Amino acid sequence: MATSTPTTSLPPQCTTAIPDHNGYVPPSACNANYGFYPSWEWNLAFTIAFFFTTFFHIAQMLAFKKFFCWVVVMGSAWEYACFLLRTLGAFDQQNRGFVVVSTVLFLLAPNTRVVAPLAGQGVCGS
């Protein structure tokens, strides 16, 4: 005599969503790279701001011949690259490379601000 075993169907932990025109899917979806909808306008504004910050740091470094300020220039350049990648990532949100590299740069750039005082280099321009 055949007996049937009861089966239960568990609800899925996450679902795969269809991306919109920018590649966005809700944060609860399996293929979500962002936990929010990235704003390309604000990312572009910060990209421009960090571009000018980097440019002015390089100009000051060369004008005052304080070449040990390369640490601050590097940190500004990393922030510029981070927000440039986030701006590009806002239009192609399924590209995991934009997310990973911009996050790494965003997390590491402030550490360059710590290296200069620890090395006894002081503040640039002084």
Side-chain angles (χ1 to χ4, degrees):
M1 173 174 199
T3 60
S4 64
T5 57
T7 59
T8 59
S9 61
L10 297 173
Q13 296 296 328
C14 64
T15 58
T16 302
I18 298 173
D20 70 357
H21 64 282
N22 285 332
Y24 176 76
V25 294
S28 60
C30 292
N31 56 339
N33 288 331
Y34 293 95
F36 55 91
Y37 200 100
S39 167
W40 71 268
E41 296 94 351
W42 283 105
N43 285 324
L44 182 62
F46 279 102
T47 300
I48 293 168
F50 277 109
F51 172 78
F52 285 117
T53 301
T54 305
F55 175 78
F56 288 127
H57 279 308
I58 292 171
Q60 283 183 327
M61 180 180 70
L62 296 175
F64 294 113
K65 296 183 175 122
K66 303 283 186 178
F67 298 107
F68 54 80
C69 292
W70 67 270
V71 177
V72 176
V73 171
M74 183 177 63
S76 297
W78 285 2
E79 289 285 355
Y80 165 69
C82 163
F83 282 102
L84 179 64
L85 289 173
R86 286 184 179 213
T87 302
L88 296 173
F91 293 110
D92 187 10
Q93 295 178 20
Q94 291 300 301
N95 189 335
R96 195 167 292 223
F98 288 150
V99 179
V100 171
V101 175
S102 71
T103 302
V104 168
L105 289 172
F106 184 76
L107 293 174
L108 290 180
N111 291 333
T112 61
R113 306 293 200 271
V114 175
V115 171
L118 291 179
Q121 295 177 351
V123 179
C124 293
S126 60

